[in-house]
Structures are given as structure tokens and as C-alpha cells.
Amino acid sequence: MYLGDRTWPELGEYFAEESLALVPLGSTEQHGPHLPESTDHRIAEALAREAADRTGYLCTPTINVGVSPHHRQFNGTMWVDAPVFRDYVESLTRNLTYHGIDRVVFVNAHGGNVQHLREVGRRVRDDEVAYAVEWMWDESIPDLVDDLFEYNGPHGGPKETAMMLHIDDQLVREDQFERARDEGIRDVANFEGLRKHGARTFYDAIDNTESGVLGDQTDATREKGEQLFEAASDQLVKLAEWLDDQPFEDLMPRDHV
């Protein structure tokens, strides 16, 4: 069920019976010469909508802009400062609790959001108003991702490229795959520029990659994207169903020993 397509009486019926919501979040940022800047939030929304369709749980509108200052040197990247992002997401989550939601899955597709969503989850849990958990699609299926791609990458790589080929291939510039690979970092695992003597010495994507992306995009296919999407959707459905089954008091902080 997508919140934005329902009337308030219809939503009242949902809130009378259910207390879980899926909140898709991503970013609007550079994803190389081959993928649109909407990549992250399109992936998050597609997965959240799929899980909502399969389970009947509520899916909210998507948060399209996230914490992305590390991509700011590339044209068009949008971001909000981390404290603003945290406060906005917390406010939105508390808005949902006003209507009766007490458990939330942040369906996330942008790595820069992760730590901030965890902080929001801690805030609302400490106040015992809701249990909110961050879910990152590729982290739910790590073995499959590793099996499908020899040279993976955490940003704009073959896994995101394959997902976008499955979700909306008209937005993918397939003639730019080789450029993305050759101007980026193909073999991330063996790239020595990411760390020096145990320290991360870079702050922005452009410090390491001219094309803004990592991995070998030429390894992405529609078929692999479909596999990723179906497997990640399955995991999200299972998470939502598990969370819905938990007694609320068991999700709250435990007492001091």
C-alpha cells in the first residue's frame, strides 16, 4: 500500500489494524557517466514498493536527497547536512507514530545515510515511541553480490548498474560502461589509494576516481539485476514480517542491570 495513493479514510483503516511502515530513502548524487543521479532513491523506492505490494504494509513517499557531500564536486549532486537529515527523518518518523505506527523499516540505498539512520533509530527507541531499523539492500544479500560480480564496487559499480537495468533500463547509458570502468577504480579490493598505513586518507569520491565510480560496470546485465532485485525483495519482506511479529516491549531498551 502506497500512502500517497490512498485517502485518509482508507489509511485510517490501515492504522486501525497495522503498525508498520516502510520508508524508502536514497540520494540524488553522481553515479558516474552511465547512471542517473536518481539511482539510489529509485532502487530504494522500487524495493519498498515491491515489499509493500507483497505484504500489504504501508510504504511512505521516498526521501530523495540524503547525506552526499562527498560527491559534491560532480555536477548536480544534491545533499543536506547530516544534522538536518537526522532531524528531518526523525521528525517524519515521529509523524508516523502520531498515526499509530510504532515500527519502521528505513529502506535505504545510500551508504552515506547509514550511520545517520542508525542514530535516528536510537533516538526514537530510547524515547520508547517506535522501533526503527535501517536496512541496506546489498548488505542483505552479500553472498549473491559476491557471486555475480568479479569486480564489485560500493558506488556506481556493477551491482547498482544491474539493478537499474532491471528497474528502468531507459535511464542507463550502456554506451558509457567502459568509460566508467576505465576512468574509475575497477579492482577496489586491491587499490592501495584508499588507505595509508591503516588510515582512510580520502574524504571525497573525486580524490580517488575521475569517473566518480568504483568496480567494473561492463559486468552488469538485466538478468543479474533481476536476481538481485528478487533476492533483496525477499529479504525485505522477511524483515518486515519478522518485525511485525515482535511484541513492542521486546523491541524497546532493556532495563539497567
Side-chain angles (χ1 to χ4, degrees):
M1 174 188 292
Y2 176 58
L3 186 151
D5 289 342
R6 301 291 178 164
T7 66
W8 69 262
E10 292 169 344
L11 290 167
E13 294 175 5
Y14 178 85
F15 295 133
E17 299 293 332
E18 303 287 351
S19 60
L20 186 144
L22 305 170
V23 179
L25 308 95
S27 66
T28 300
E29 63 182 21
Q30 72 86 14
H31 273 76
H34 63 301
L35 290 178
E37 305 223 344
S38 62
T39 292
D40 285 347
H41 71 250
R42 285 181 180 273
I43 291 174
E45 181 170 329
L47 289 166
R49 293 278 196 114
E50 175 71 13
D53 288 345
R54 287 173 54 180
T55 62
Y57 294 128
L58 186 70
C59 176
T60 73
T62 304
I63 297 176
N64 292 337
V65 177
V67 182
S68 303
H70 48 296
H71 294 293
R72 67 189 185 277
Q73 289 93 344
F74 294 92
N75 294 326
T77 291
M78 302 184 70
W79 72 92
V80 294
D81 292 336
V84 176
F85 177 79
R86 291 193 295 267
D87 288 347
Y88 181 87
V89 176
E90 181 180 352
S91 181
L92 183 146
T93 303
R94 292 181 184 274
N95 160 209
L96 291 170
T97 68
Y98 178 80
H99 295 297
I101 296 297
D102 64 14
R103 54 205 77 195
V104 173
V105 178
F106 294 132
V107 182
N108 182 37
H110 173 51
N113 294 339
V114 172
Q115 62 179 315
H116 309 294
L117 295 173
R118 291 285 297 172
E119 173 61 23
V120 171
R122 176 176 288 279
R123 290 181 188 179
V124 296
R125 181 174 181 259
D126 284 350
D127 287 347
E128 300 190 12
V129 295
Y131 181 87
V133 63
E134 182 268 341
W135 178 84
M136 187 80 174
W137 73 269
D138 58 318
E139 294 178 359
S140 75
I141 50 170
D143 292 340
L144 178 59
V145 172
D146 287 342
D147 289 344
L148 288 179
F149 307 111
E150 181 178 2
Y151 296 105
N152 195 21
H155 181 73
K159 63 187 177 187
E160 289 187 324
T161 303
M163 281 285 273
M164 283 302 293
L165 283 171
H166 173 66
I167 293 169
D168 193 344
D169 62 358
Q170 294 185 356
L171 294 176
V172 180
R173 283 67 166 174
E174 297 182 63
D175 63 339
Q176 296 295 310
F177 284 2
E178 292 185 2
R179 175 187 174 189
R181 177 198 63 196
D182 296 343
E183 294 180 359
I185 302 171
R186 183 178 185 232
D187 188 355
V188 178
N190 295 310
F191 180 67
E192 296 181 355
L194 297 177
R195 288 180 180 271
K196 297 292 184 183
H197 309 295
R200 295 186 181 185
T201 55
F202 67 95
Y203 283 92
D204 298 327
I206 203 169
D207 294 340
N208 293 314
T209 165
E210 183 179 345
S211 70
V213 293
L214 310 166
D216 186 352
Q217 295 73 19
T218 64
D219 201 17
T221 66
R222 290 163 178 77
E223 293 74 22
K224 291 179 180 180
E226 183 177 10
Q227 284 183 263
L228 293 172
F229 186 85
E230 290 180 354
S233 296
D234 287 344
Q235 292 299 310
L236 181 55
V237 166
K238 290 176 182 178
L239 173 61
E241 291 176 339
W242 171 83
L243 184 56
D244 190 42
D245 285 341
Q246 305 310 302
F248 182 72
E249 57 272 18
D250 290 351
L251 298 170
M252 292 297 98
R254 296 174 63 177
D255 293 335
H256 190 284
V257 295

